[in-house]
Amino acid sequence: MNILSLFPAVPLVMMLGLWLSKSRRQIHTVMVAGSTVLLALAIWLVFHYLGLREAGETAQMLMTESVMWYAPLNIHYAVGVDGISVAMLLLSAIIVFTGTFASWQMQQDVKAYFLWFCLLSVGVFGFFISVDLFTMFMFYEVALIPMYLLIGVWGSGRKEYSAMKLTLMLMGGSALLLIGILGIYFGAGATTMNVQEIAALHNIPVQLQRIWFPMVFIGFGVLGALFPFHTWSPDGHASAPTAVSMLHAGVLMKLGGYGCFRVAMYLLPDAAHELSWIFIILTTISVVYGAFSACVQTDLKYINAYSSVSHCGLVLFAILMMNTTASTGAILQMLSHGLMTALFFALIGMIYGRTHTRDVRQLSGLMKVMPFLAVGYVIAGLANLGLPGLSGFVAEMTIFNGAFMNDDTFHRVVTVIACTSIVITAVYILRVVGKILYGTCENPEHLKLSDATWDERFAVICLVVAVAGLGLAPLWVSDMIRGSVSELIAHILS
Amino acid sequence: MDYTSIFPLMRAELTLTAILVLVFLYDLIAGKRGHRWFSAVTCGLLLVQVAVNLVPGPAGELFGGMFRTVPMDGVVKSVLSIGALIVCLQADRWLQREDTHHKQGEFYILTLSTLLGMYFMISAGHFLMFFIGLELASVPMACLVAFDKYRHHSAEAGAKYILCALFSSGLMLFGISFLYGTTGTLYFDDMAGRLTATPLEIMSLVFFFSGLGFKISLVPFHLWTADAYQGAPTAVTSYLSVVSKASAAFVLFTTLVKVFAPLIEQWQTLLWIVTVLSITVANLFALRQKDLKRFMAFSSISQAGYIMLAVIGGNALGMTSLVFYVLVYMAANLAVFGVLSTVEQHSGGRVSLEDYNGFYRTNPKLAVMMMLALFSLAGIPPFAGFFSKFFVFASAFKAGFYVLVFIALLNTVISLYYYLLIVKAMFITPSDEPIATFRSDVGTRISLAMCMAGVLLLGVVSAVYDGINALSFGL
């Protein structure tokens, strides 16, 4: 068995373990053991991958394996990784690991909660290791459906409405995606579902590409919060329980960007060139509109949800710039946004668990009450607005740098417009930080609250270390990504 | 004629007839005490029948081409038998009730007769044979629908069913007579060579199609469905929605491919319209249903529409997809009906959506099984329904029906919405008086275990699909 298959297999084993466990303690043991294994596996994979590259492996996908599954449609269970997927797997493993600790205090029906949580991670991990269109799509959908119950049962606020809206919009996207995938498969001569092989064939007629590209791009774009299909995101994030928000904003939304890049652009390059301007305009709107919307929100989760729309819009924006620098930035942004949003949602969940409100207007002076969480919040905020030394800066800098390399007027104008989001981000982040953390604590009830417990501290510290690590030493990651990105871009441009 | 070849070729029919006779004899000789074991006896015999016929027999024809069979027919017959077996397992609790206790034998005999009718319909090589099979499958079905004859709903449903069935049989017979008039033959093979797509033949194709459309309950021939499903005893409803529908869908495929191949353009247009209507109309109606049996009626109409996606291409991939879809649909749908039926029996007839509020709190296992089955019906991976839906889409896409696939895909979103409504009721919505915790009977538990095995394994393990694919044929 290929070592990559362990990534979806470990959560499956965890599900089995959860099913058998009798007590809360056992459930926690299973979760911690499993997610630690996943994290260790992901870290090992990074070193192994870099080692293979050192040793002169030049193939685009490494550690590939392909097992025939459904012969009549050439469906294989095919796995393989390149630098991008390795980075995404690491991100997912970190989020699953910290998400476990962020859910430590969960009381209601813990077993079922973690079962669905594990199924979600099966989908996420499976998606990033797949190189077969069908397998990829299958894992993609596996990742979607647990969201309904996770939000619907364990969520807060208007959870039923949000859960249904999220599920239906994402399924609508995957309906488009499915027809796009069939279009790609039959367009390329119905001989293979393997992404690399389809790309190598390069034989999909342009007029067909024009039909399938928008479908696939929008299909994945729905999950990547592409304007105007982003409306599920604020409601969904606001209603989801903490760890689910973390996983969803941190990893699941990255599936969208990853898919847009790996499937839509890579397999349908000609149409991508012709039609990119439409999506560039839409993503620019995402970036700016998301940032402005975040400014007027009063619910902490809504602020970060809109901020996610803005930042994920930036990922798609960067991919569409079609050069190596911008696309490397896009992958970096996925990592950076994944980590810092997870940190944000974790902190918001912890604050909400104490104050029972997420309304900015009712919170103030928390720095004195819960200094640990408050400092964490400040760090997440600073990473979000792109302070040098933290991950956000590296990613956004690379993206805008790459975007500006396109020397025609259209690209430069949209880049300038998108750049304004940095300023707006600063506005909403600093406003919130100032309002809820500093000043005097006006609510006497809040003065009695306690600071983070050990499990919460652990989750926060892990994420802060990752955010700072990516910010201070971005080169090893960007080197790992850049090689793979440049191959994809070279194919798209050819 | 070599009479020894009857045994291998008609193995399924002969074994089923033998079981029918045995059940009949058992009904006669078993006294009151023997009645308790009726379900076990019948299910045991059916299990033997399934086991004997699991390996498809050879291809060949009998009685001068009246009866002809290919290995694929054997596969479909086995699928239908398994469906009937599951239905019989689930029916036991209901049949043990006071007012039906004394007529258990009738239930099993009628069910097996319809099954026999379907067998002959599948293996017919001649339109008269086909028609006899169809009638044998429909008439006892009407008795089954009206089985709870002292309950107003059931009697009404039976009347509705038999009237619609007769009308559509009449139409079909009318179509067949026109076909005979224009081609001078009723043998499938001869007719295929003589059809020339004259207007009269196209009209008779439409008549023929409407007869089968009724059995599959495609829009616009679906009007009986909701009432019959709601009124009929739940075991019969599940039989109607799965076994009856599956046999008719397969027969539609084979006749369209074998007999009406010269009229392919016409029937593709026809199917295109009917498929879009079935999926869309049924989905829109299903949104508003409060009674779960009515709800499942509309769900099954829309599922029938998806099955038609496999038919429309007429290719071998389509046949594989169809049989696989039917098998998966059977597992999922029978699981849903199994839960509905056992809940109905244990809660004094509660079948509305609201009754299921808070079901997960009181009966977590049944709720989870129901949810998995609904996810499979909605086409969510990793459950089998996802795979079967993907394959029917692929087969229609292969034949070039892009727009149709697109419409069908958009409809999956609507269908997901209403399936999720049930999940929401069971898992999220709290209730003041949820269905009390109960322990279901052995038969139901076995049947649900079989269904769950199907829902979980059929997709992930590709062996069944490969087996079906090896035997499929098309244009």
Side-chain angles (χ1 to χ4, degrees):
Chain A
M1 193 169 98
N2 192 298
I3 194 102
L4 289 175
S5 301
L6 282 178
F7 278 102
V10 170
L12 277 178
V13 174
M14 285 159 76
M15 287 175 78
L16 189 68
L18 287 171
W19 189 48
L20 296 174
S21 25
K22 295 271 183 290
S23 65
R24 216 175 126 85
R25 196 185 172 81
Q26 285 176 355
I27 292 171
H28 282 161
T29 315
V30 170
M31 284 306 295
V32 171
S35 56
T36 312
V37 169
L38 281 171
L39 187 60
L41 206 59
I43 292 171
W44 174 84
L45 182 68
V46 172
F47 284 107
H48 184 67
Y49 178 85
L50 290 173
L52 285 176
R53 285 281 182 236
E54 285 287 285
E57 282 276 2
T58 51
Q60 194 179 345
M61 283 285 172
L62 298 182
M63 308 169 75
T64 51
E65 189 186 277
S66 181
V67 182
M68 180 59 91
W69 198 3
Y70 283 101
L73 285 164
N74 297 304
I75 292 169
H76 291 73
Y77 170 76
V79 295
V81 282
D82 63 359
I84 306 171
S85 7
V86 171
M88 288 296 124
L89 286 169
L90 180 63
L91 171 68
S92 314
I94 295 175
I95 309 283
V96 169
F97 182 72
T98 50
T100 303
F101 286 96
S103 321
W104 207 256
Q105 311 291 343
M106 173 70 66
Q107 298 295 336
Q108 179 199 355
D109 210 352
V110 190
K111 191 168 166 177
Y113 172 83
F114 279 121
L115 271 174
W116 289 114
F117 188 78
C118 286
L119 186 62
L120 186 61
S121 37
V122 171
V124 170
F125 285 117
F127 179 82
F128 286 128
I129 60 165
S130 299
V131 291
D132 180 275
L133 282 178
F134 179 85
T135 323
M136 210 180 217
F137 179 69
M138 186 191 80
F139 280 120
Y140 176 84
E141 290 220 332
V142 168
L144 296 189
I145 199 68
M147 290 304 293
Y148 179 76
L149 285 160
L150 283 170
I151 296 177
V153 178
W154 290 274
S156 57
R158 289 197 303 165
K159 56 185 186 178
E160 292 170 24
Y161 165 80
S162 311
M164 191 61 96
K165 184 175 180 181
L166 177 140
T167 315
L168 292 184
M169 285 194 72
L170 295 184
M171 285 308 277
S174 67
L176 290 178
L177 195 54
L178 178 53
I179 194 164
I181 284 175
L182 287 172
I184 292 173
Y185 171 69
F186 285 104
T191 53
T192 174
M193 282 252 185
N194 189 305
V195 175
Q196 300 306 119
E197 289 169 17
I198 292 175
L201 286 173
H202 207 305
N203 62 350
I204 306 175
V206 180
Q207 61 270 27
L208 285 181
Q209 289 196 21
R210 282 193 204 112
I211 306 174
W212 309 130
F213 176 74
M215 291 200 172
V216 179
F217 199 90
I218 292 173
F220 278 121
V222 176
L223 192 51
L226 175 69
F227 181 86
F229 308 104
H230 66 282
T231 52
W232 58 269
S233 145
D235 291 322
H237 287 146
S239 302
T242 305
V244 177
S245 291
M246 287 168 69
L247 199 62
H248 198 251
V251 183
L252 220 56
M253 285 173 87
K254 310 301 172 288
L255 262 61
Y258 181 89
C260 282
F261 194 33
R262 170 91 70 205
V263 179
M265 312 247 314
Y266 185 48
L267 299 184
L268 304 163
D270 303 324
H273 274 285
E274 282 182 29
L275 301 174
S276 69
W277 63 275
I278 301 174
F279 293 103
I280 289 178
I281 293 173
L282 289 181
T283 52
T284 313
I285 297 175
S286 279
V287 172
V288 180
Y289 164 84
F292 271 118
S293 301
C295 289
V296 295
Q297 296 300 324
T298 53
D299 184 315
L300 283 177
K301 273 198 165 181
Y302 271 98
I303 294 173
N304 278 288
Y306 276 110
S307 159
S308 291
V309 171
S310 170
H311 284 103
C312 287
L314 205 52
V315 170
L316 297 180
F317 174 84
I319 292 169
L320 287 162
M321 287 300 143
M322 289 192 225
N323 62 43
T324 308
T325 312
S327 300
T328 310
I331 310 297
L332 283 172
Q333 172 79 349
M334 286 193 207
L335 284 175
S336 144
H337 174 258
L339 294 170
M340 74 195 181
T341 309
L343 179 57
F344 248 135
F345 278 118
L347 289 163
I348 292 170
M350 292 164 197
I351 292 173
Y352 178 70
R354 291 171 169 71
T355 60
H356 303 291
T357 177
R358 293 191 304 252
D359 194 326
V360 175
R361 291 164 297 190
Q362 294 175 14
L363 296 166
S364 57
L366 295 182
M367 184 62 96
K368 297 182 192 74
V369 188
M370 35 187 100
F372 182 84
L373 294 180
V375 169
Y377 201 90
V378 173
I379 294 172
L382 293 178
N384 209 337
L385 59 79
L387 187 79
L390 296 171
S391 61
F393 171 76
V394 181
E396 292 187 4
M397 184 68 197
T398 321
I399 289 177
F400 289 122
N401 194 0
F404 218 70
M405 282 179 187
N406 290 323
D407 52 6
D408 58 311
T409 325
F410 172 70
H411 282 95
R412 292 212 155 160
V413 169
V414 290
T415 310
V416 170
I417 295 173
C419 275
T420 57
S421 73
I422 301 179
V423 183
I424 311 168
T425 307
V427 171
Y428 64 77
I429 293 293
L430 294 177
R431 182 179 68 107
V432 170
V433 167
K435 174 73 185 67
I436 71 166
L437 301 182
Y438 296 99
T440 48
C441 185
E442 280 154 13
N443 189 334
E445 287 295 311
H446 288 177
L447 285 171
K448 299 172 195 156
L449 299 174
S450 57
D451 204 357
T453 54
W454 70 269
D455 44 276
E456 293 169 333
R457 278 172 203 259
F458 186 64
V460 170
I461 288 171
C462 286
L463 287 168
V464 168
V465 167
V467 168
L470 190 60
L472 292 172
L475 267 181
W476 63 275
V477 190
S478 71
D479 280 348
M480 182 171 81
I481 299 166
R482 184 180 290 272
S484 303
V485 167
S486 62
E487 286 201 38
L488 292 186
I489 290 291
H491 177 80
I492 293 170
L493 293 178
S494 68
Chain B
M1 186 178 155
D2 175 19
Y3 284 98
T4 52
S5 64
I6 288 181
F7 292 101
L9 289 178
M10 294 186 75
R11 190 173 60 193
E13 285 79 4
L14 291 174
T15 43
L16 189 62
T17 317
I19 291 174
L20 251 173
V21 175
L22 286 175
V23 172
F24 185 65
L25 289 176
Y26 186 77
D27 195 18
L28 283 182
I29 54 175
K32 280 217 164 120
R33 295 181 60 192
H35 266 70
R36 217 178 303 157
W37 304 103
F38 224 123
S39 162
V41 169
T42 318
C43 294
L45 286 171
L46 254 177
L47 194 63
V48 172
Q49 200 263 355
V50 171
V52 169
N53 295 295
L54 211 53
V55 178
E61 58 177 59
L62 289 171
F63 314 122
M66 289 286 267
F67 180 95
R68 46 187 321 168
T69 180
V70 288
M72 193 60 166
D73 292 351
V75 174
V76 176
K77 286 172 189 169
S78 297
V79 171
L80 299 179
S81 290
I82 296 170
L85 173 63
I86 296 175
V87 170
C88 287
L89 281 170
Q90 293 174 353
D92 188 35
R93 168 92 192 180
W94 159 66
L95 286 170
Q96 296 296 340
R97 225 174 47 191
E98 234 10 69
D99 56 333
T100 42
H101 185 69
H102 60 285
K103 49 178 186 177
Q104 293 183 68
E106 291 170 35
F107 175 81
Y108 294 118
I109 291 169
L110 288 170
T111 310
L112 294 178
S113 320
T114 57
L115 194 60
L116 189 64
M118 290 165 202
Y119 279 14
F120 278 108
M121 189 164 82
I122 288 168
S123 287
H126 185 276
F127 270 111
L128 278 184
M129 189 72 184
F130 177 85
F131 188 73
I132 292 170
L134 184 82
E135 286 301 285
L136 184 53
S138 319
V139 177
M141 194 68 91
C143 307
L144 283 171
V145 172
F147 202 75
D148 274 345
K149 61 184 173 187
Y150 300 113
R151 302 203 169 189
H152 175 66
H153 278 308
S154 184
E156 181 193 325
K160 274 184 181 152
Y161 182 86
I162 192 74
L163 285 176
C164 291
L166 288 179
F167 185 67
S168 66
S169 301
L171 269 183
M172 178 185 248
L173 209 52
F174 198 39
I176 293 175
S177 65
F178 276 140
L179 284 174
Y180 184 66
T182 54
T183 60
T185 178
L186 282 175
Y187 285 97
F188 283 180
D189 287 356
D190 299 346
M191 191 176 286
R194 297 188 204 169
L195 286 173
T196 48
T198 58
L200 191 61
E201 283 168 5
I202 294 168
M203 191 174 80
S204 44
L205 167 70
V206 176
F207 282 171
F208 177 79
F209 180 78
S210 57
L212 278 176
F214 161 82
K215 296 277 308 172
I216 314 174
S217 66
L218 294 164
V219 177
F221 315 107
H222 69 291
L223 294 166
W224 60 279
T225 317
D227 290 338
Y229 278 32
Q230 187 187 15
T234 307
V236 178
T237 309
S238 58
Y239 188 68
L240 257 182
S241 76
V242 176
V243 180
S244 168
K245 190 180 287 244
S247 65
F250 179 72
V251 165
L252 180 66
F253 188 102
T254 49
T255 40
L256 287 181
V257 168
K258 278 196 284 193
V259 182
F260 294 103
L263 305 180
I264 182 160
E265 277 176 36
Q266 284 80 8
W267 61 253
Q268 282 189 335
T269 318
L270 191 67
L271 269 178
W272 202 100
I273 299 165
V274 167
T275 308
V276 170
L277 280 178
S278 297
I279 299 178
T280 317
V281 171
N283 272 346
L284 295 179
F285 275 88
L287 290 177
R288 309 280 308 165
Q289 299 306 319
K290 293 279 171 252
D291 180 298
L292 281 187
K293 278 164 80 179
R294 277 187 92 79
F295 168 89
M296 286 309 290
F298 286 105
S299 145
S300 82
I301 298 172
S302 103
Q303 296 284 346
Y306 288 107
I307 298 177
M308 290 304 111
L309 286 176
V311 178
I312 195 166
N315 45 31
L317 187 62
M319 175 169 283
T320 318
S321 316
L322 183 142
V323 178
F324 186 67
Y325 194 100
V326 160
L327 185 62
V328 169
Y329 166 70
M330 192 177 87
N333 225 34
L334 287 180
V336 174
F337 274 115
V339 176
L340 284 184
S341 159
T342 179
V343 167
E344 193 186 2
Q345 298 307 325
H346 284 89
S347 66
R350 294 173 74 172
V351 284
S352 83
L353 183 57
E354 284 173 8
D355 293 334
Y356 278 78
N357 289 349
F359 188 51
Y360 175 66
R361 293 263 159 268
T362 53
N363 294 290
K365 280 183 189 156
L366 285 178
V368 167
M369 285 195 268
M370 177 107 154
M371 177 183 67
L372 298 186
L374 289 171
F375 281 167
S376 182
L377 286 177
I380 305 287
F383 311 112
F386 169 76
F387 294 84
S388 61
K389 274 226 167 75
F390 185 86
F391 297 139
V392 296
F393 290 140
S395 67
F397 202 94
K398 189 182 181 190
F401 295 96
Y402 303 150
V403 180
L404 182 62
V405 174
F406 186 66
I407 297 171
L409 271 168
L410 291 185
N411 268 292
T412 56
V413 183
I414 304 177
S415 71
L416 179 67
Y417 171 72
Y418 59 71
Y419 290 127
L420 281 181
L421 284 183
I422 303 183
V423 175
K424 180 175 135 189
M426 292 191 302
F427 282 79
I428 302 174
T429 318
S431 168
D432 299 333
E433 39 172 336
I435 292 162
T437 308
F438 64 85
R439 199 173 155 77
S440 42
D441 56 301
V442 184
T444 307
R445 270 185 275 159
I446 297 173
S447 73
L448 286 176
M450 286 166 71
C451 294
M452 280 303 117
V455 165
L456 293 174
L457 296 179
L458 280 174
V460 180
V461 181
S462 60
V464 178
Y465 180 86
D466 290 336
I468 296 170
N469 187 55
L471 300 173
S472 63
F473 58 90
L475 281 176

